[in-house]
Amino acid sequence: MNRIYIVHCWGGTKEDGWYPWLDKKISNMDNEVIRFNMPNTANPIINDWVETLDSIVDKIDEHTFFIGHSIGCQTIMRYLETKNVKKIGGILFVAPWLDLLPKAIEDEKSYNIAYPWINTPIDFNKIKRITNNINCIFSNDDYFVSLEQEKEFRDKLDADTIIVSNKGHISQDDNVYELQEILDLSKKMLDK
């Protein structure tokens, strides 16, 4: 059985936006979806989020998949670089980032929260060694994440990427409760 872990965004919960919809769409006899809340979601800290993900994942192997949204994508990468694992099934990143547009960090609190996430290096080669099944979705009008990030994820992780139109940060704040492209890429990831 496949185990699919969905890691929510900064300021989010497991019940936000498209997460429950996707859970219903891909949960079946072959796929178990695990959604959970991260600690202190208004002030995400790398170690706290990575340790929480580590405590939730009971087994990691080729039947383990991760779906992340925004800072959840970073959490997944930072978690995977700590693991001594040969292979996982795959990854889907929705609105991932390594850097943020000024609007995302315009106030001092947001800047201070984002700074370690932006400035602590990630071992992309290790992540690529444990899966060649990395998929990303970006929106052409994301106000937090520039489209330059799409190229970054293709270059650094050999990710397959798509760009959707007019979905903002692909979040509940943008009224995104369902998105066919997320479902399609989830199925593609699980079938690869």
Side-chain angles (χ1 to χ4, degrees):
M1 172 174 274
N2 296 322
R3 295 166 313 284
I4 303 132
Y5 297 89
I6 298 179
V7 184
H8 66 68
C9 63
W10 177 353
T13 75
K14 68 179 184 174
E15 300 302 328
D16 286 354
W18 48 266
Y19 317 139
W21 167 79
L22 183 65
D23 184 342
K24 285 189 187 105
K25 288 289 194 181
I26 62 176
S27 290
N28 57 39
M29 291 189 323
D30 297 323
N31 299 319
E32 176 190 8
V33 175
I34 300 101
R35 288 185 291 131
F36 53 95
N37 289 323
M38 282 295 188
N40 198 6
T41 186
N43 183 13
I45 296 168
I46 292 172
N47 286 348
D48 293 351
W49 279 42
V50 168
E51 286 172 9
T52 298
L53 182 54
D54 192 40
S55 73
I56 300 289
V57 177
D58 56 351
K59 183 179 179 190
I60 184 166
D61 60 21
E62 66 275 5
H63 299 288
T64 308
F65 295 83
F66 295 93
I67 298 174
H69 181 210
S70 191
I71 209 166
C73 307
Q74 279 234 9
T75 304
I76 291 164
M77 289 186 284
R78 294 177 185 287
Y79 163 74
L80 290 174
E81 71 180 355
T82 70
K83 303 313 286 179
N84 185 13
V85 59
K86 284 195 171 22
K87 197 95 175 133
I88 64 165
I91 302 169
L92 170 58
F93 289 149
V94 179
W97 51 269
L98 303 171
D99 201 357
L100 289 165
L101 288 169
K103 180 178 169 122
I105 50 176
E106 61 191 359
D107 62 88
E108 186 177 355
K109 182 178 183 215
S110 298
Y111 176 84
N112 289 335
I113 291 168
Y115 186 87
W117 295 88
I118 292 170
N119 292 289
T120 306
I122 296 172
D123 185 349
F124 300 106
N125 288 326
K126 181 166 186 184
I127 296 162
K128 285 194 302 189
R129 278 195 302 273
I130 61 175
T131 186
N132 61 354
N133 185 8
I134 302 173
N135 306 274
C136 301
I137 300 175
F138 297 86
S139 176
N140 68 349
D141 66 343
D142 194 322
Y143 40 86
F144 291 154
V145 179
S146 82
L147 273 184
E148 291 173 12
Q149 293 296 295
E150 185 259 349
K151 183 179 186 317
E152 290 277 311
F153 278 81
R154 276 190 289 121
D155 291 348
K156 288 185 165 68
L157 287 173
D158 299 331
D160 289 335
T161 63
I162 66 165
I163 299 169
V164 296
S165 295
N166 306 317
K167 297 298 178 192
H169 196 50
I170 316 178
S171 68
Q172 181 168 294
D173 290 344
D174 306 299
N175 295 313
V176 179
Y177 295 92
E178 298 179 11
L179 189 63
Q180 187 62 42
E181 289 86 350
I182 293 175
L183 179 58
D184 292 347
L185 277 190
S186 297
K187 289 178 175 177
K188 175 188 166 201
M189 170 185 73
L190 291 165
D191 291 343
K192 190 168 179 179

